[in-house]
């Protein structure tokens, strides 16, 4: 679904007034999670990827602005979104407008853009990965008297559980997984921002930057808001005055 709104003052107008010279706008607002549902406060990876794909395939949309306001979340969902952002950028001008924060996965999905705007106080960067595995063995034993015993055909047959400590081999596997995601993340940033990987590593390690600092170190192009992003997207597409902003929204359930 979509709404049509004027690009000069964002006033809603009749969807039937759609022309063939439009700037698409997509909202990525909330924590990034896996799935294809629709819900306030969350970015469902498959759902957002679908909206990005619709914008790419819609011939009336000449360029796209993605408004990112996210602290990040699932690495898998972020990568699903990133892939659709890459495909979109290959066909149409793509501009990202960062809101209050666009960190970790929120930055991950932003890097394919041709141009990135942030506010001075936007929290961004946080180029890093971590994994957490809980161990409830002592807690369950102390408060409930529950203990666990397991039998398996090999030292790794039972996999990772919440009821036993991690083995040395399990720690190695988890660290390899985290390192692999981190390498993917930093390489995506290097490619998207046209920076050597070595330079990305110097400003990564999970550190968070303000929008102003992010401009200085190359993670963001300019300080500006959504209106600046729309203007840049129309400029990159060579649109003249009178274009409309084509707002993509996720399909709501009957209850919503």
């Amino acid at each position: 679904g979509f709404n049509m709104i004027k690009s000069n003052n964002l006033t809603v107008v009749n969807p039937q007034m759609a022309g063939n010279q439009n700037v698409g706008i997509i909202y990525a607002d909330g924590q990034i999670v896996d799935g294809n549902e629709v819900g306030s406060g969350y970015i469902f990876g498959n759902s957002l990827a679908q909206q990005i794909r619709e914008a790419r395939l819609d011939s009336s949309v000449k360029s796209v602005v993605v408004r990112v306001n996210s602290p990040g979340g699932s690495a898998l969902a972020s990568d699903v979104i990133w892939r659709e952002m890459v495909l979109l950028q290959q066909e149409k001008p793509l501009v990202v407008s960062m809101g209050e924060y666009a960190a970790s996965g929120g930055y991950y999905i932003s890097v394919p853009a041709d141009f990135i705007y942030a506010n001075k106080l936007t929290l961004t960067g946080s180029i890093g990965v971590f994994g957490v595995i809980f161990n409830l063995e002592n807690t369950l034993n102390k408060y409930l008297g529950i203990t666990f015993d397991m039998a398996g055909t090999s030292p790794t047959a039972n996999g990772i559980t919440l009821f036993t400590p991690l083995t040395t081999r399990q720690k190695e596997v988890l660290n390899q997984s985290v390192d692999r995601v981190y390498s993917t993340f930093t390489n995506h940033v290097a490619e998207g921002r046209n920076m050597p990987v070595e330079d990305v590593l110097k400003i990564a390690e999970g550190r968070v930057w303000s929008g102003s600092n992010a401009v200085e170190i190359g993670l963001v192009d300019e300080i500006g808001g959504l209106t600046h992003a729309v203007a840049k997207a129309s400029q990159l597409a060579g649109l003249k005055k009178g274009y409309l902003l084509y707002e993509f929204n996720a399909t709501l359930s009957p209850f919503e």
Side-chain angles (χ1 to χ4, degrees), residues 59-214:
S59 60
S60 72
V61 175
K62 305 304 181 184
S63 60
V64 178
V65 172
V66 178
R67 174 69 169 181
V68 178
N69 198 41
S70 173
S74 163
L76 175 59
S78 298
D79 201 62
V80 170
I81 296 166
W82 171 87
R83 175 59 177 163
E84 285 298 331
M85 291 284 280
V86 168
L87 294 175
L88 174 60
Q89 186 273 336
Q90 289 173 351
E91 295 192 22
K92 302 175 182 181
L94 174 60
V95 178
V96 161
S97 170
M98 293 180 172
E100 183 178 353
Y101 38 64
S104 190
Y107 189 74
Y108 192 113
I109 67 175
S110 300
V111 293
D114 295 299
F115 207 88
I116 299 177
Y117 285 98
N119 300 320
K120 290 182 178 180
L121 299 179
T122 295
L123 298 181
T124 189
S126 190
I127 302 167
V129 187
F130 71 93
V132 176
I133 301 296
F134 295 99
N135 180 6
L136 302 178
E137 181 182 32
N138 292 335
T139 301
L140 292 173
N141 187 16
K142 178 179 179 180
Y143 293 102
L144 298 176
I146 297 175
T147 60
F148 295 85
D149 291 294
M150 299 183 184
T153 56
S154 73
T156 58
N158 294 319
I160 295 172
T161 76
L162 300 179
F163 314 118
T164 57
L166 291 174
T167 66
T168 300
R169 177 55 182 159
Q170 287 172 333
K171 290 179 181 179
E172 291 175 352
V173 170
L174 287 172
N175 280 327
Q176 288 172 6
S177 177
V178 169
D179 288 343
R180 185 164 56 249
V181 176
Y182 185 63
S183 177
T184 299
F185 194 169
T186 51
N187 277 279
H188 285 345
V189 174
E191 181 181 358
R193 300 302 299 164
N194 295 315
M195 299 170 62
V197 175
E198 294 75 18
D199 290 348
V200 174
L201 293 174
K202 294 175 183 177
I203 57 177
E205 298 180 339
R207 281 171 289 182
V208 178
W209 306 89
S210 70
S212 297
N213 291 145

